[in-house]
């Protein structure tokens, strides 16, 4: 049980939402692009550049590309990929 003492926030609202897990999610179109490019054996840094070319205001980072590639590989064949030892 939780008791509410004060209804106001104890901090100011964020000006940028970069870094917020909900806002930083990859869009479905971006996941499709990453999956298609991964099939062609393109390096992750080039995948990130392609995403940034599609959306110049994007705040995508390498970690998101790696996570999406891992999800793609897991969805097509489990953990039997050349990226896992």
């Amino acid at each position: 049980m939780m008791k509410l003492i004060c209804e106001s926030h104890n901090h100011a609202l964020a000006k940028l939402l970069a870094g917020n897990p909900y806002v930083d999610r990859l869009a479905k179109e971006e996941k499709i692009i990453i999956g298609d490019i991964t099939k062609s054996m393109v390096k992750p840094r080039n995948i990130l550049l392609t995403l940034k070319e599609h959306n110049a205001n994007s705040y995508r980072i390498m970690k998101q590309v790696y996570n999406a590639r891992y999800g793609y590989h897991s969805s097509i064949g489990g953990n039997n990929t050349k990226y896992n030892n």
Side-chain angles (χ1 to χ4, degrees):
M1 191 160 117
M2 181 182 234
K3 184 177 180 182
L4 181 64
I5 297 172
C6 180
E7 293 183 16
S8 65
H9 286 286
N10 61 357
H11 59 85
L13 294 175
K15 292 184 175 153
L16 291 175
L17 294 176
N20 183 313
Y22 184 77
V23 175
D24 277 348
R25 292 180 303 163
L26 290 172
K28 188 174 185 177
E29 299 83 29
E30 291 174 319
K31 289 181 182 180
I32 292 170
I33 291 170
I34 291 173
D36 291 341
I37 295 174
T38 299
K39 282 187 228 176
S40 301
M41 302 299 289
V42 175
K43 293 181 180 180
R45 68 175 175 230
N46 295 331
I47 294 173
L48 183 61
L49 289 173
T50 302
L51 290 176
K52 288 188 178 191
E53 285 176 1
H54 280 70
N55 184 1
N57 297 327
S58 175
Y59 290 105
R60 301 293 169 232
I61 58 173
M62 286 302 294
K63 180 71 174 168
Q64 292 169 315
V65 173
Y66 286 126
N67 289 344
R69 290 177 76 233
Y70 177 79
Y72 170 75
H73 287 298
S74 294
S75 71
I76 62 168
N79 290 328
N80 292 332
T81 63
K82 75 174 207 162
Y83 301 105
N84 294 328
N85 292 328

